[in-house]
Amino acid sequence: MSDEQAGSAFRFNGHWREFAPIAFTNLLLIIVTLGIYRFWAKARERRYLWSRTDFIGDPLEWTGTGKELFIGFVMAILIFGVPLFVMQLVIQGLIFRGQIWLVGLTAFFFPFALLFVMGVARFRALRYRLSRTHWHGIRGGCDQKGLAYGWSYLWKSIVGGLFFGLMLPWSMIELWNQRWNEMSFGSHSFTAGAEYKPLLMRLLICFGVAIVAALLIGGLTAISGWLAVFLLPFALAVGLLVLFTVYYALFLRLAIGGMTLNRIDFAFTARSFDIAKLLLGDLALLVCTLGLGFVFLSYRHWAFFIRHMEASGEVELASLMQSETEEPKQGEGLLDAFDVGAF
């Protein structure tokens, strides 16, 4: 156990040397099977990561299977891929017939439909992962299908982009609270009540720093154009990384810190510097291994997440009964299609 986990209710006991055989075997089988094995590879990785994660001295258990993830992916193709393909054929037909206004109408509504499906995907992925996460034989879950959340995700994402993005903190926090307030573990429901105002202040500070940096770069360009050409890409990359980590670190601390489960309060301790080190470590790993190190990214991110999770309060095992929520029959196929995080 590392010193930073001492006294924490969460503990990660894994080691990259244990994970390496799993990661490289998975990579080989994915190549041999032309990618089909990736669903079983993901389930195998999760079984290891969950089994090396303790909560109050007892390990988590992942009960999901590769078959469920594969079926979820196939359903995502049928639900999203086939209609998209048909719509492309329809658009081509409309263009051929000169009905441009119908093409424009379809193109106008397509991003809204995409946002709706992305919201449903994120909700159902979290629902699936909780239903396959066991602790003391108890699992999580949710009875909602995610359609109402998909609608909220649509309009709140649009509102989040208003006023030069200043509504984004409200949108992100509201969606997080709504998503987790529908979830439960065992017989207890999660409560999420994070506030967005501190995140708005952080965003305003980020905007202020970005404006000052832009003025400095503009001045440098006026003084020495050739020097700015070399420095501008580097300054832009570093600036975006710093602003992203500063903003997202606070978002995670606020969002997770606003959650409770019965008498348990959760917290996330990672600071901006910690997330920057994680991202720079990912970059160094990929560069030094010529890209092969990507097989360790899931391990690094899970270990980072668990090592910065904390919980306080009382766990009433006597009152913690098995969840009666419906178990989804398939995995997070839609989430795979959009490649977005579930939490």
Side-chain angles (χ1 to χ4, degrees), residues 3-50:
D3 292 340
E4 62 186 347
Q5 294 183 94
S8 173
F10 289 93
R11 185 179 305 172
F12 183 67
N13 302 308
H15 198 283
W16 70 269
R17 291 192 183 92
E18 292 180 340
F19 185 77
I22 297 173
F24 287 120
T25 304
N26 283 344
L27 178 62
L28 179 62
L29 290 173
I30 289 173
I31 294 173
V32 170
T33 60
L34 302 178
I36 295 177
Y37 187 76
R38 63 185 292 268
F39 307 100
W40 284 265
K42 184 175 290 185
R44 192 180 175 202
E45 283 187 2
R46 288 179 181 175
R47 277 196 295 274
Y48 171 79
L49 295 175
W50 265 240

Side-chain angles (χ1 to χ4, degrees), residues 43 63-64 67 76 141 152 155 166 192 258 262 284 308 310 316 327 332:
T63 62
K67 180 182 177 182
S152 291
W155 75 265
L166 288 179
N262 195 21
H308 289 89
E310 288 188 356
E316 298 178 328
E327 288 189 88
E332 59 225 63

Side-chain angles (χ1 to χ4, degrees), residues 136-251:
H136 271 273
I138 306 295
R139 65 171 177 84
C142 170
D143 280 328
Q144 300 297 320
K145 305 295 185 185
L147 298 180
Y149 181 81
W151 171 246
S152 291
Y153 190 88
L154 164 62
W155 75 265
K156 288 177 181 175
S157 296
I158 294 172
V159 172
L162 299 178
F163 308 112
F164 302 99
L166 288 179
M167 295 298 290
L168 185 62
W170 172 85
S171 173
M172 292 176 65
I173 292 293
E174 281 290 311
L175 287 171
W176 174 282
N177 288 342
Q178 181 179 353
R179 194 159 65 241
W180 278 97
N181 279 326
E182 297 288 354
M183 302 295 161
S184 62
F185 195 86
S187 52
H188 302 312
S189 298
F190 284 98
T191 300
E195 296 285 343
Y196 75 92
K197 291 181 180 177
L199 194 60
L200 176 59
M201 290 301 299
R202 179 63 60 90
L203 183 63
L204 290 172
I205 293 173
C206 289
F207 278 179
V209 172
I211 291 172
V212 171
L215 292 174
L216 290 175
I217 291 174
L220 180 63
T221 305
I223 296 172
S224 177
W226 68 269
L227 186 60
V229 169
F230 288 102
L231 289 181
L232 189 58
F234 178 75
L236 183 62
V238 173
L240 288 176
L241 177 63
V242 171
L243 293 179
F244 169 77
T245 55
V246 167
Y247 177 81
Y248 199 64
L250 181 60
F251 167 73

Side-chain angles (χ1 to χ4, degrees), residues 317-331:
L317 286 176
S319 65
L320 186 59
M321 309 299 288
Q322 182 58 279
S323 173
E324 296 182 354
T325 56
E326 179 186 357
E327 288 189 88
K329 305 299 183 188
Q330 67 279 331

Side-chain angles (χ1 to χ4, degrees), residues 119-135:
V120 175
R122 176 161 287 186
F123 187 93
R124 293 178 68 87
L126 178 57
R127 172 177 178 250
Y128 170 73
R129 292 183 187 185
L130 281 173
S131 74
R132 298 304 188 269
T133 298
H134 286 232
W135 181 74

Side-chain angles (χ1 to χ4, degrees), residues 36 39-40 65-75 330-331 333:
I36 295 177
F39 307 100
W40 284 265
T65 65
K67 180 182 177 182
E68 292 169 348
L69 294 173
F70 177 71
I71 293 174
F73 180 77
V74 171
M75 290 189 66
Q330 67 279 331

